[in-house]
Amino acid sequence: MEIFEEIEPLRAFLQGKRSALNSIGLVPTMGALHAGHLALIRACKAENEVTVSSIYVNPAQFNNQTDLDKYPRSLEADIEMLKAEGCQVLFAPQDTEMYSGKSLTFDFGSLDKVLEGEFRPGHFSGVALVVSKLFNIVQPDRAYFGQKDYQQFQIINQLKEELKFPVELHSVPIVREKSGLALSSRNQRLSDENKTQALFLYHSLTDAKDQILNGVPFAEIKSEVERRAKQNRGVQLEYFELANKNTLQPLEDLKDIHNGIILIAAFVNNVRLIDNILLEKKR
Ligand code: AMP
């Protein structure tokens, strides 16, 4: 695997690889890799001659300094995992390579005012900035993101449309532990007991999906989830919402239920976790 910390040598290397026959796929990550990330690498490898992964903990997308400081970092182990998966190129820059002090901000209208956008102001502006930089640096034909960060995918899609990035975006299903817990780098900060508490997220989603598809009003389901969260020591619910999967605005018309998605965010032992479930098909 070729490893680059700097933009220009990476660009020169990729220039040599770029041709009508070779497609380049990009998998952006913040490292502390797990099987969820590896599913993206595998999807990318299946469809592209060259797979480029990036590992960069992007300060611009953190609205909380402690969260940034505590974000797990394990570059050596990550490199071994990427090599084992057959990833050909890793871009792992330092902050000085990515930012020169000035910063651009983005506004996505209604899309970044709800859910994650409401609770993490500035987060999606930071995501859009780093993804724009990565798209410009790598110029991938395809880029791969996880469904776990569902709103992030919608944001990047709007970014691509508005800025005319010639890239095909792919969304990869959520990889979970056997228990149902969505894999996340942040799970490293959870004890076994915390992981059991964290199942609150997955169970709330799957129970709600069954209930909604059986005609139970969402308002009823939501207040029950809020009530159970209050009783559950160690879980602090931030949001639990039913939205239209394209606009992420509240879904009110139940005729539209198959375009619905339920999204949840909660702190477990001060670790912020998110998850979601689409309503389009039965589990
Ligand atoms: P992160 O390193 O957390 O920024 O994630 C990098 C990419 O991996 C993002 O596109 C995430 O949506 C994706 N990802 C993270 N966790 C999972 C998971 N459990 N299943 C599938 N994709 C994931």
Side-chain angles (χ1 to χ4, degrees):
M1 185 170 71
E2 303 286 334
I3 302 177
F4 297 91
E5 287 187 11
E6 291 172 0
I7 295 167
E8 284 317 319
L10 171 65
R11 278 204 166 124
F13 177 84
L14 291 176
Q15 209 46 47
K17 295 276 172 200
R18 217 176 291 280
S19 76
L21 294 177
N22 273 356
S23 63
I24 295 178
L26 172 66
V27 180
T29 83
M30 298 205 297
L33 300 183
H34 52 64
H37 296 113
L38 299 185
L40 304 189
I41 299 283
R42 242 168 270 141
C44 184
K45 276 193 63 82
E47 292 173 327
N48 301 280
E49 281 68 33
V50 182
T51 290
V52 181
S53 174
S54 63
I55 294 183
Y56 179 57
V57 182
N58 171 36
Q61 73 188 68
F62 284 81
N63 54 328
N64 177 322
Q65 184 64 36
T66 319
D67 195 22
L68 173 61
D69 295 341
K70 286 198 173 165
Y71 199 83
R73 291 163 171 85
S74 53
L75 188 59
E76 291 311 312
D78 291 350
I79 289 173
E80 292 314 311
M81 287 169 83
L82 290 173
K83 281 184 183 165
E85 216 49 63
C87 177
Q88 291 105 328
V89 182
L90 169 63
F91 179 48
Q94 301 292 323
D95 287 342
T96 47
E97 190 67 7
M98 293 298 274
Y99 289 96
S100 48
K102 302 183 195 78
S103 205
L104 296 173
T105 55
F106 289 79
D107 187 327
F108 291 88
S110 56
L111 192 56
D112 67 358
K113 308 295 180 294
V114 293
L115 304 162
E116 290 299 284
E118 182 184 344
F119 286 91
R120 301 183 71 188
H123 168 65
F124 286 125
S125 180
V127 168
L129 185 56
V130 80
V131 170
S132 301
K133 286 172 192 262
L134 291 170
F135 283 175
N136 266 328
I137 295 164
V138 176
Q139 299 186 15
D141 299 286
R142 303 188 181 92
Y144 296 79
F145 299 90
Q147 191 205 305
K148 185 166 92 71
D149 297 272
Y150 189 90
Q151 191 175 8
Q152 169 174 287
F153 188 82
Q154 302 301 104
I155 292 278
I156 293 168
N157 197 35
Q158 192 170 326
L159 180 77
K160 169 208 144 131
E161 298 290 324
E162 286 295 317
L163 296 186
K164 313 291 179 204
F165 281 115
V167 60
E168 229 176 71
L169 300 182
H170 291 252
S171 172
V172 175
I174 303 176
V175 179
R176 301 180 179 280
E177 288 190 358
K178 269 208 189 74
S179 64
L181 179 66
L183 295 187
S184 163
S185 305
R186 293 167 194 265
N187 292 359
Q188 287 185 18
R189 295 175 51 209
L190 300 177
S191 66
D192 287 347
E193 189 196 348
N194 295 154
K195 280 191 172 184
T196 306
Q197 291 168 320
L199 282 174
F200 179 84
L201 282 85
Y202 180 64
H203 290 156
S204 298
L205 291 171
T206 51
D207 290 353
K209 176 171 175 171
D210 288 345
Q211 288 177 290
I212 287 178
L213 295 180
N214 285 317
V216 181
F218 183 69
E220 228 171 80
I221 300 169
K222 180 174 169 170
S223 59
E224 177 62 15
V225 165
E226 286 171 345
R227 196 185 59 75
R228 279 195 287 114
K230 284 202 187 95
Q231 286 175 345
N232 197 332
R233 205 173 42 86
V235 174
Q236 280 166 272
L237 185 66
E238 219 166 44
Y239 63 75
F240 182 76
E241 299 293 349
L242 170 63
N244 176 294
K245 70 175 181 184
N246 301 312
T247 62
L248 290 179
Q249 302 309 303
L251 188 125
E252 268 136 26
D253 186 354
L254 287 186
K255 281 204 289 300
D256 221 14
I257 202 71
H258 293 284
N259 281 323
I261 180 169
I262 315 171
L263 308 102
I264 187 168
F267 285 92
V268 174
N269 186 33
N270 295 321
V271 179
R272 191 171 184 283
L273 302 174
I274 58 172
D275 201 348
N276 65 75
I277 197 164
L278 288 162
L279 295 179
E280 59 198 3
K281 50 186 184 295
K282 268 274 185 201
R283 256 185 312 134

